[in-house]
Amino acid sequence: MIRTFLRQPALTLPLAALTLAVSAAYAAPTQGPSGIAFYNAATPNGAHGDLISYRTTTVNLGTGAPAVKAWNVQYQSTDSVGAANVVTGTVLVPTAAWTGTAPRPIVSYAVGTHGLAQPCAPSLQLAGGTDYETANINAALKAGYAVLITDYAGYTTGSTPTYLAGASQGNAVLDIVKAASQIPSVGISATAKTAVWGYSQGGQSAAWAAQRHAGYAPGVNLVGVAAGGVPANFLSVAKYLDGSAGASFLFGGVIGLAEQYPTAIPLDTLANATGQAAIAKGKSQCVFESLFELMNHKLSEFTVNNQTLDQLTAIPAINATLKAQDLGADKVAVPLYQYHGKADEFIPIDQAVALKKQYCAKFSNVYFDVFPSEHIVTQFQAAPTVLTWLGDRFNGKSATSSCITLSAEPKSTANPGGGNFVVTLDKWPLIANVGLKTLGQTVNLPTTSTFSANTDITAQRLTGQLSIPEFKSSVKIIGIGSAIGLRITPVGDATGTAVLDTKGQLHVHGMAKADITVTSVSGINFGECKTVTPVEFPINFDGPVSSLGNGSLTFTGTTTFPQLKGCSISAILSSVMSGAGQTYSFTVTPPAPTKY
């Protein structure tokens, strides 16, 4: 008996070691299957941030995108109530070697609203070339950073996204960093300097990641967070969206939060027949489909007894659930770059300003920029500023705070809610030139030229105005250099159509007309020679909606200059400046932000 007792440890030790080995082997990441089968969720049985499966993939990031190596990942994370869940995503690493002395920096890019249907998942849209955020992703890749894009929870087969469940989204953004580093030969270090960047839903996710980092994922070497267009106060944002152009975001939020908190928000008993049908349809749509379908609808249209938003949010369980998504309760321990559009028609700027004040009161290091534009435009307009700020964090530069400021608190300039979805460009800088065919010379328009426009996305109508100061340009006529005085006077408004399709592609087709007047030649006034009829400049553009804000909204083409009349040298000027084949290029660029 004594011998048996003494021998027991000698038998159990190998068994224990074998059990650990089997467990470790089971937990090791595996190569996932091809096709949609990759999105069949495994049962989480490890720690958050563990890589469950991976596969190489291809992504279509559009023209001019840098070459990358790409993987899809399935990894373990944690939802908003503390339960383990499984999340999918994409890992992108530039093929160009990183030349820095430290490991290649990481940007965990938190996407904005994509829609509730599985095909809307960022990983699937990146593969298909239909993701509307590729402009920002490409910009980060061109800087040499590894870019990680979580899908968030709910895009695995048979699931529904827990859209706007803040802690879940923040966790997913952090956990993909650890998961990505576990891909064999990925070239990503688990200790690399990491930044989080997100806008809109992504801005909410980024801010949640910032708040949760220290307690949830301290192993992530987080050096900065950029969060824009943040929905920080859910009651405030919900009231702003109800019955407005952005009503679909409220509707999607109801579905997503009900998925995460089914007891608090029992959709089956709250939704009427119209609401049940709309929920089913909403779960089958991507962001731009639902945006147009639900525009200006009130939540009460979809509820039993037509309960209003105020009535619903007065229910204690619903009220508590919404408030649980609010930001600002915790200090952010890393530098935070917060930004918002002054004309944001979806997420009110006042609650973003209040968030800044909450963070500053907790001694967070916050720098806040105000951009002049509305919601979609600001998302892409801010990218260069964001990347400069992130670059400074990666390079170890101290972050400046704007918590103490003498600047006036920004006030909203958004178009009124409850009407058409109108994107306004107010005196945006215009980089423009005209190519004179006969002379083979290019005339650059003044740098103070501007373009203003109201783009009514609902009515699919564009109305704009060119403003070009009178100027002089050096032009060689018959081999002799001359300073030509020019005046380009718009004739009426630039008009046309503007269509935003369900794939996030913008289509602008219209016409701008202008009289061109030669006011002097080499300082000599020969009288004013003006085109006998206005010059027609077709304004045509087909490309991603990101072009509205990132400086790539360019109208180019050829046109005909009519004869010039009205001065003593009109025949000479007409012979060298008039005729078909004249070229032009007009690029509308975003204005700079202001600090708050």
Side-chain angles (χ1 to χ4, degrees):
M1 227 166 134
I2 293 174
R3 286 179 184 171
T4 304
F5 178 77
L6 290 173
R7 287 176 184 160
Q8 188 65 31
L11 292 172
T12 55
L13 282 173
L15 288 173
L18 180 62
T19 300
L20 286 172
V22 170
S23 176
Y26 181 72
T30 60
Q31 284 198 318
S34 61
I36 201 66
F38 184 84
Y39 293 83
N40 295 331
T43 300
N45 68 339
H48 67 82
D50 281 356
L51 179 64
I52 297 170
S53 63
Y54 64 94
R55 68 178 181 189
T56 58
T57 189
T58 57
V59 290
N60 181 354
L61 301 176
T63 304
V68 297
K69 295 178 290 184
W71 294 264
N72 291 138
V73 292
Q74 187 178 120
Y75 62 98
Q76 184 168 325
S77 191
T78 311
D79 71 11
S80 287
V81 296
N85 61 6
V86 173
V87 181
T88 51
T90 304
V91 174
L92 303 175
V93 179
T95 57
W98 174 250
T99 58
T101 55
R104 185 191 297 271
I106 298 168
V107 172
S108 186
Y109 184 84
V111 297
T113 305
H114 272 55
L116 301 177
Q118 187 179 43
C120 314
S123 57
L124 291 171
Q125 294 207 51
L126 288 168
T130 57
D131 198 287
Y132 71 94
E133 297 198 47
T134 52
N136 286 358
I137 293 169
N138 281 338
L141 290 168
K142 287 177 180 178
Y145 308 142
V147 180
L148 320 180
I149 307 108
T150 180
D151 289 339
Y152 305 127
Y155 287 105
T156 51
T157 300
S159 301
T160 297
T162 53
Y163 176 60
L164 298 183
S168 174
Q169 293 172 179
N171 293 342
V173 167
L174 292 168
D175 284 330
I176 196 172
V177 178
K178 177 184 172 184
S181 69
Q182 298 169 45
I183 300 171
S185 304
V186 70
I188 292 177
S189 169
T191 60
K193 289 183 178 180
T194 299
V196 173
W197 175 19
Y199 184 84
S200 193
Q201 178 197 10
Q204 177 206 14
S205 303
W208 269 102
Q211 289 189 187
R212 292 186 58 76
H213 167 250
Y216 179 76
V220 174
N221 185 10
L222 192 65
V223 298
V225 173
V230 179
N233 182 306
F234 266 52
L235 287 172
S236 173
V237 175
K239 290 177 181 179
Y240 197 71
L241 290 172
D242 194 29
S244 80
S248 64
F249 304 117
L250 172 60
F251 193 76
V254 171
I255 296 172
L257 292 177
E259 188 70 19
Q260 178 69 90
Y261 306 93
T263 302
I265 306 177
L267 277 189
D268 288 343
T269 59
L270 291 173
N272 60 22
T274 302
Q276 295 288 356
I279 290 167
K281 192 167 189 179
K283 290 181 178 181
S284 71
Q285 293 179 319
C286 293
V287 57
F288 293 109
E289 295 171 288
S290 57
L291 173 66
F292 294 117
E293 182 149 330
L294 293 170
M295 196 172 286
N296 299 324
H297 284 282
K298 282 191 167 290
L299 199 60
S300 58
E301 300 172 38
F302 306 103
T303 60
V304 172
N305 298 323
N306 300 115
Q307 294 177 86
T308 65
L309 177 65
D310 285 342
Q311 289 174 311
L312 291 169
T313 56
I315 298 170
I318 293 177
N319 188 277
T321 298
L322 293 184
K323 287 185 175 179
Q325 314 316 312
D326 287 353
L327 288 156
D330 301 310
K331 177 182 177 178
V332 174
V334 298
L336 175 67
Y337 176 63
Q338 192 184 348
Y339 58 101
H340 211 95
K342 196 174 182 180
D344 196 320
E345 73 281 55
F346 296 151
I347 301 176
I349 192 171
D350 59 349
Q351 55 90 52
V353 168
L355 177 64
K356 179 213 172 185
K357 292 178 179 178
Q358 286 177 277
Y359 282 146
C360 289
K362 293 176 173 60
F363 303 103
S364 302
N365 185 338
V366 183
Y367 191 96
F368 193 107
D369 262 342
V370 180
F371 287 81
S373 312
E374 58 76 62
H375 190 76
I376 295 176
V377 173
T378 299
Q379 177 169 16
F380 304 102
Q381 180 184 351
T385 307
V386 170
L387 285 167
T388 297
W389 187 88
L390 293 181
D392 287 344
R393 305 291 77 75
F394 289 139
N395 291 326
K397 294 183 179 179
S398 298
T400 303
S401 170
S402 66
C403 282
I404 299 174
T405 179
L406 298 177
S407 300
E409 187 172 304
K411 301 299 181 183
S412 174
T413 58
N415 289 313
N420 286 3
F421 176 23
V422 180
V423 177
T424 299
L425 309 183
D426 184 15
K427 297 178 181 176
W428 278 37
L430 181 68
I431 301 173
N433 63 67
V434 174
L436 302 176
K437 179 183 177 181
T438 302
L439 293 175
Q441 296 173 58
T442 298
V443 174
N444 294 312
L445 275 58
T447 56
T448 51
S449 301
T450 63
F451 181 69
S452 299
N454 281 318
T455 307
D456 190 326
I457 301 297
T458 307
Q460 300 184 348
R461 181 177 61 245
L462 169 74
T463 305
Q465 299 83 37
L466 291 168
S467 176
I468 303 169
E470 189 169 326
F471 66 104
K472 292 182 179 180
S473 179
S474 179
V475 176
K476 285 187 177 181
I477 300 177
I478 320 176
I480 302 172
S482 304
I484 304 292
L486 291 168
R487 184 189 307 130
I488 299 178
T489 309
V491 177
D493 291 334
T495 58
T497 60
V499 177
L500 180 61
D501 68 25
T502 57
K503 301 297 184 183
Q505 296 293 301
L506 180 67
H507 308 279
V508 177
H509 299 284
M511 184 71 69
K513 298 180 180 181
D515 289 327
I516 296 180
T517 304
V518 177
T519 58
S520 64
V521 178
S522 297
I524 302 172
N525 188 344
F526 294 96
E528 295 196 345
C529 271
K530 188 175 78 170
T531 49
V532 294
T533 57
V535 178
E536 295 184 342
F537 296 100
I539 47 175
N540 297 309
F541 177 85
D542 295 280
V545 67
S546 58
S547 302
L548 267 176
N550 67 6
S552 59
L553 182 62
T554 299
F555 305 109
T556 61
T558 60
T559 188
T560 298
F561 284 7
Q563 296 289 307
L564 291 104
K565 299 289 185 181
C567 69
S568 58
I569 57 170
S570 58
I572 296 173
L573 293 175
S574 291
S575 67
V576 296
M577 294 181 65
S578 299
Q582 320 297 333
T583 62
Y584 61 92
S585 175
F586 300 154
T587 298
V588 184
T589 61
T594 57
K595 181 179 76 171
Y596 167 66

